[in-house]
Amino acid sequence: MNTITIAISDERLLKLRQVAAQMNVSIEELVLMSIESSIAQREVSSPNTAQNIFKENAEISTEVVDKFYPLATEWQSEVASRSSTAQMSLHPAYQEIISMGTKIVPLLLSELKKNPLYWLAALSAITGENPVKPEQMGRIKQMASAWIEWGINQGYAIEENV
């Protein structure tokens, strides 16, 4: 394991502490989630990622894939500076993703493996389900795992090459 030292202002550290506390994670976990999200965002814009998901989920049309990824990229870039997930989920691009309905559930489940935080609200809004157990609440990775397990149990093909 490697160690990285980052110098940040007191103001940013305070914001990090607040966000970490709201999400019930450590600052280290929050920073790692952000790094993973940045890496995943680059992968989202890769045409191969969309094609791999499309192949594994044959019921998803190319049109749906082509609509989802630009919306997801737009949303992620425009809400990157916001700390409130509730506020982030009100963004028009996120709401448009939700309006795409159940046909994008396999895409959201695949993306959830890369960005554990981002797609929880969308999955709940689209499916009307909440597979997260009370003891998992606030633990983002556990919440994501509960959704992925739910998706597998529902018969969704979820990309494994993450």
Side-chain angles (χ1 to χ4, degrees):
M1 180 163 296
N2 295 308
T3 302
I4 298 173
T5 304
I6 302 171
I8 60 172
S9 68
D10 290 341
E11 184 180 317
R12 283 202 181 218
L13 181 59
L14 180 61
K15 286 181 182 179
L16 274 174
R17 284 186 178 138
Q18 290 171 342
V19 172
Q22 289 172 347
M23 295 172 58
N24 197 27
V25 297
S26 68
I27 291 175
E28 291 82 4
E29 288 175 300
L30 181 62
V31 170
L32 284 172
M33 287 169 34
S34 179
I35 291 168
E36 290 169 0
S37 171
S38 295
I39 292 168
Q41 193 169 10
R42 286 190 168 266
E43 291 172 354
V44 164
S45 52
S46 163
N48 291 338
T49 303
Q51 291 304 323
N52 290 341
I53 293 172
F54 178 71
K55 287 178 193 170
E56 291 194 21
N57 294 288
E59 72 276 7
I60 302 173
S61 72
T62 307
E63 180 182 300
V64 170
V65 172
D66 290 346
K67 182 177 179 182
F68 172 77
Y69 283 104
L71 284 170
T73 301
E74 172 191 343
W75 173 76
Q76 288 176 351
S77 67
E78 290 185 13
V79 300
S81 63
R82 297 184 190 170
S83 61
S84 166
T85 54
Q87 193 178 49
M88 292 166 77
S89 66
L90 295 175
H91 188 277
Y94 196 85
Q95 290 300 310
E96 191 168 344
I97 287 169
I98 290 172
S99 75
M100 293 173 73
T102 56
K103 61 189 167 206
I104 64 160
V105 169
L107 291 174
L108 294 178
L109 291 169
S110 294
E111 286 301 308
L112 193 61
K113 293 178 85 174
K114 299 175 197 173
N115 299 311
L117 176 62
Y118 290 161
W119 305 114
L120 298 170
L123 282 163
S124 187
I126 292 168
T127 65
E129 300 280 337
N130 183 9
V132 178
K133 297 177 180 129
E135 62 271 15
Q136 295 172 316
M137 293 301 292
R139 295 188 168 109
I140 304 302
K141 288 182 181 179
Q142 290 182 20
M143 294 168 69
S145 292
W147 271 105
I148 291 166
E149 184 179 327
W150 173 88
I152 290 167
N153 290 338
Q154 297 298 313
Y156 288 107
I158 302 169
E159 181 182 10
E160 296 294 330
N161 303 337
V162 179

